[in-house]
């Protein structure tokens, strides 16, 4: 019976303890498959019930319910994944068999997959965006094919690329597509604004296959005409605004001659008044003496 078991001595001191769990026979597993290109199919699985027992897996596949069974190769022991290498091109339907085995028995899980519907490349790589000199509404976008899509199969299985872009702050994306090309030029970028750009890939021949995930976002701004830096020139003080020398208008009569003329007239008046006072004083003295 499942539970914790322990041993004690006569005094009740714990000597040893152990936890016993019941083992379970194999159950069905949950299988999922991914197809990054036409050359490989990867299938992985997880247990739907923990058996608590050492477990092995036997993995295989067949084509169109055929009797001929091929192994699905397990590259790493202890990793619940197997790989179908070089699947036949003439069909897309496969039966994948994952058999779980432990000391209490075995159980097989068989699923059917459509490799074309599961075909999903990795996102494009080496993604970069460049300015186009002299063109304030253009951006040049360049990338490389996904690592999951080897160059040797590219000629037989070309890729379609979808590009999306928007100025930061906008919730609407503009899109462009190209086939068998690794560069595109955006012609209607918003002048002076920072843009967000992403790209993804899809098999060009199988239009019901899946698009890759979008690449990481690259932010770029179109070319902006550089501003000319002002040159420092020496200040010219000869302009009228800064001319501190004002012209003096001269007259025929200088201020000095006018001053002397007015001064002589005043002196004569004072001498006349002084003489009159002296005469009055003399007359007053003569009168008193008499």
């Amino acid at each position: 019976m499942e539970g914790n078991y322990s041993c004690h001595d006569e005094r009740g001191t714990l000597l040893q303890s152990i936890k016993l769990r019941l083992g379970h026979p194999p159950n069905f597993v949950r299988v999922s498959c991914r197809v990054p290109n036409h050359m490989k199919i990867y299938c992985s699985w997880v247990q739907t019930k923990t058996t608590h027992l050492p477990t092995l897996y036997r993995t295989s596949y067949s084509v169109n319910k055929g009797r001929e069974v091929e192994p699905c190769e397990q590259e790493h022991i202890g990793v619940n994944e197997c790989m179908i290498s070089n699947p036949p091109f003439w069909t897309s339907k496969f039966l994948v068999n994952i058999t779980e085995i432990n000391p209490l028995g075995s159980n097989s899980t068989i699923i059917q997959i459509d490799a074309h519907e599961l075909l999903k490349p990795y996102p494009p790589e080496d993604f970069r965006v460049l300015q186009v000199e002299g063109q304030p509404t253009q951006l040049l976008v360049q990338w490389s094919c996904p690592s999951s899509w080897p160059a040797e199969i590219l000629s037989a299985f070309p890729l379609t690329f979808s590009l999306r872009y928007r100025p930061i702050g906008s919730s609407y994306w503009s899109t462009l597509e190209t086939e068998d090309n690794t560069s595109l030029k955006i012609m209607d970028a918003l002048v002076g604004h920072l843009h967000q750009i992403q790209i993804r890939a899809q098999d060009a021949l199988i239009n019901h296959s899946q698009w890759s995930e979008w690449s990481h976002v690259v932010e770029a701004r179109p070319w902006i005409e550089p501003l000319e830096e002002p040159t420092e020139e020496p200040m010219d003080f000869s302009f009228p605004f800064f001319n501190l020398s004002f012209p003096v208008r001269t007259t025929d009569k200088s201020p000095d001659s006018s001053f002397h003329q007015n001064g002589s007239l005043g002196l004569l008046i004072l001498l006349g008044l002084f003489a009159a006072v002296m005469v009055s004083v003399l007359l007053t003295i003569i009168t008193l003496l008499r």
Side-chain angles (χ1 to χ4, degrees):
M1 188 174 184
E2 189 173 270
N4 293 322
Y5 293 85
S6 58
C7 295
H8 302 264
D9 61 14
E10 297 177 352
R11 300 180 179 179
T13 303
L14 178 64
L15 299 177
Q16 187 69 39
S17 65
I18 189 172
K19 183 177 182 178
L20 295 181
R21 292 182 299 188
L22 294 178
H24 300 281
N27 205 336
F28 293 104
V29 295
R30 186 165 59 250
V31 184
S32 61
C33 298
R34 56 187 177 90
V35 185
N37 56 51
H38 290 275
M39 311 299 292
K40 296 184 187 307
I41 300 173
Y42 294 91
C43 292
S44 59
W45 59 92
V46 294
Q47 289 183 324
T48 57
K49 184 176 182 179
T50 304
T51 63
H52 303 297
L53 293 172
T55 303
L56 297 176
Y57 295 94
R58 184 183 300 119
T59 55
S60 62
Y61 75 97
S62 60
V63 178
N64 285 337
K65 301 181 181 180
R67 294 182 179 179
E68 187 174 348
V69 176
E70 299 290 339
C72 183
E73 302 168 5
Q74 298 183 55
E75 292 186 325
H76 305 288
I77 297 176
V79 178
N80 293 351
E81 183 178 74
C82 68
M83 178 182 65
I84 300 173
S85 299
N86 300 315
F89 296 134
W90 48 269
T91 183
S92 64
K93 307 293 185 180
F94 297 87
L95 290 177
V96 179
N97 185 340
I98 310 296
T99 300
E100 183 176 286
I101 305 170
N102 70 19
L104 296 180
S106 64
N107 191 43
S108 295
T109 301
I110 301 174
I111 65 167
Q112 179 175 286
I113 64 170
D114 187 325
H116 289 173
E117 290 182 355
L118 295 176
L119 182 60
K120 183 178 180 179
Y122 294 166
E125 300 175 1
D126 300 327
F127 182 40
R128 55 199 177 276
V129 184
L130 307 174
Q131 294 181 342
V132 181
E133 187 173 356
Q135 301 297 329
T137 62
Q138 296 183 16
L139 287 168
L140 178 62
V141 184
Q142 298 176 339
W143 63 90
S144 300
C145 290
S147 59
S148 65
W149 214 266
E152 56 267 22
I153 71 171
L154 190 60
S155 57
F157 302 102
L159 287 171
T160 294
F161 299 97
S162 176
L163 177 77
R164 69 177 184 179
Y165 60 97
R166 65 181 178 184
I168 288 182
S170 173
S171 56
Y172 299 97
W173 294 93
S174 299
T175 58
L176 295 171
E177 286 192 7
T178 183
E179 182 178 324
D180 199 20
N181 200 1
T182 55
S183 67
L184 268 176
K185 188 176 287 186
I186 297 172
M187 304 297 293
D188 58 350
L190 200 58
V191 176
H193 282 70
L194 195 63
H195 289 67
Q196 293 178 324
I197 304 100
Q198 289 181 292
I199 193 168
R200 61 180 180 173
Q202 183 191 37
D203 187 285
L205 302 179
I206 304 174
N207 56 14
H208 63 280
S209 63
Q210 298 183 41
W211 284 98
S212 73
E213 299 295 331
W214 286 104
S215 69
H216 63 280
V217 175
V218 171
E219 294 184 352
R221 193 188 309 272
W223 176 86
I224 300 176
E225 185 174 2
L227 297 176
E228 293 185 3
E229 296 184 1
T231 57
E232 295 185 1
E233 297 182 357
M235 188 174 292
D236 187 0
F237 291 97
S238 64
F239 289 103
F241 180 80
F242 296 103
N243 192 352
L244 302 179
S245 299
F246 298 96
V248 178
R249 183 177 180 181
T250 62
T251 60
D252 295 337
K253 187 187 294 184
S254 67
D256 290 340
S257 62
S258 174
F259 173 79
H260 288 299
Q261 184 179 4
N262 293 334
S264 299
L265 181 60
L267 182 59
L268 290 175
I269 293 173
L270 289 174
L271 290 175
L273 291 174
F274 181 74
V277 171
M278 290 304 293
V279 171
S280 299
V281 171
L282 288 174
L283 291 174
T284 303
I285 293 173
I286 294 172
T287 304
L288 291 175
L289 289 176
R290 287 180 180 177

